[in-house]
Amino acid sequence: MRRDSAGSEAANRSWWDSDAEAYHAEHAAFLGVDTADGEFVWCPEGLRESEAGLLGPVGPGTLAVEIGCGSAPCARWLAAQGATVLGVDISAGMLRRGLPHVRGTNPLLVQAGAENLPVAGGAADIVCSAFGAIPFVADSARVMTEAHRVLRPGGRFVFSVNHPMRWMFLDDPGPDGLVATLSYFDRSPYVETDDDGVPTYVEHHRTMGDRIREIVGAGLRVADVIEPEWPEGFTQEWGQWSPLRGEIFPGTAIFVCVKPD
């Protein structure tokens, strides 16, 4: 499949619309989807923004944009801290799942793609994405440019994705997932299709160097890269994430970026 934005967006919109119910049956409790104020979980390793503070101070007067907000537990958590929040996602099904928990219009949830954010330039103090969009976007460099555009000088863009080295391994939490089978340097998208050959799910790979070049190329500065370690005693599996694999190599990369003053 070509790396075209429209094709990826259409496939993934359909995927997340159809998968929303099953996804939440498995993950809603871990993500805090149905709690009063939501929760901000960065990754399957369970790192929470309340503990990590990667976004910096959040409170009244803060304008935050979440890319790929899904059912909006992170966006609601930010709103509970006093921020004014815009949550963006391509999937109406995912957004609809979060609407019953939204109080008023904060967060404001909007159906839109990550490559064209419906936000004025220089308006946001924070842009964030917790696994919600970037792996599914064909033109991730465009997302970095968009984050730079909407941030005010000094603002932060923080996003988490599959750790790039995970591309080499099968999506298997057991021993078979410990054997490298694919090339780290193969940027061909992973595509699932229906019986007619129509793409229904598309995920894109970038190396660690690719990610950093895209960030820097957009005019942002890399302030930190976090590779969360598997917590001691944490036994929950999530897809390919597991204690077995987590003891050996990272499953997540979190990029902390700043728009220079």
Side-chain angles (χ1 to χ4, degrees):
M1 177 179 176
R2 293 184 299 110
R3 300 171 185 236
D4 69 288
S5 297
S8 288
E9 187 169 310
N12 287 319
R13 178 186 294 111
S14 175
W15 172 271
W16 288 108
D17 281 348
S18 63
D19 193 55
E21 183 175 346
Y23 178 85
H24 283 91
E26 186 172 358
H27 301 304
F30 180 77
L31 296 173
V33 171
D34 296 317
T35 59
D37 292 329
E39 182 58 274
F40 201 124
V41 183
W42 278 111
C43 52
E45 292 87 350
L47 182 67
R48 284 162 164 72
E49 175 60 17
S50 58
E51 303 162 354
L54 303 181
L55 298 175
V58 178
T62 302
L63 177 61
V65 177
E66 184 185 4
I67 303 173
C69 67
S71 52
C74 299
R76 290 193 296 112
W77 183 87
L78 290 167
Q81 311 312 304
T84 300
V85 186
L86 174 69
V88 175
D89 201 280
I90 61 168
S91 168
M94 294 293 283
L95 293 170
R96 193 176 296 118
R97 178 62 174 76
L99 279 175
H101 301 296
V102 174
R103 302 166 185 168
T105 57
N106 190 28
L108 178 65
L109 304 184
V110 176
Q111 186 178 13
E115 292 160 283
N116 296 285
L117 298 175
V119 183
D125 300 289
I126 292 168
V127 178
C128 57
S129 184
F131 270 90
I134 293 169
F136 309 105
V137 171
D139 190 355
S140 52
R142 167 81 179 181
V143 182
M144 307 300 138
T145 301
E146 278 290 271
H148 181 277
R149 179 184 66 81
V150 305
L151 279 172
R152 62 164 178 78
R156 285 197 168 203
F157 175 37
V158 185
F159 66 93
S160 59
V161 293
N162 296 330
H163 196 287
M165 70 173 293
R166 283 289 175 113
W167 197 254
M168 298 185 291
F169 301 90
L170 299 177
D171 284 352
D172 188 322
D176 288 346
L178 300 179
V179 181
T181 61
L182 301 172
S183 170
Y184 175 76
F185 301 105
D186 184 357
R187 279 91 162 174
S188 302
Y190 169 78
V191 183
E192 295 181 7
T193 62
D194 62 20
D195 292 340
D196 297 321
V198 177
T200 57
Y201 178 96
V202 184
E203 189 171 337
H204 299 270
H205 169 56
R206 300 290 183 272
T207 67
M208 187 67 79
D210 292 338
R211 292 285 182 213
I212 292 172
R213 276 188 293 276
E214 289 182 351
I215 293 166
V216 174
L220 297 163
R221 177 175 61 85
V222 179
D224 200 357
V225 178
I226 295 95
E227 299 165 298
E229 296 186 33
W230 194 265
E232 185 177 353
F234 185 52
T235 60
Q236 179 170 328
E237 293 186 0
W238 177 321
Q240 59 176 295
W241 284 265
S242 67
L244 177 66
R245 286 157 63 98
E247 286 184 7
I248 299 172
F249 51 80
T252 298
I254 307 175
F255 296 85
V256 181
C257 315
V258 177
K259 181 174 180 176
D261 292 323

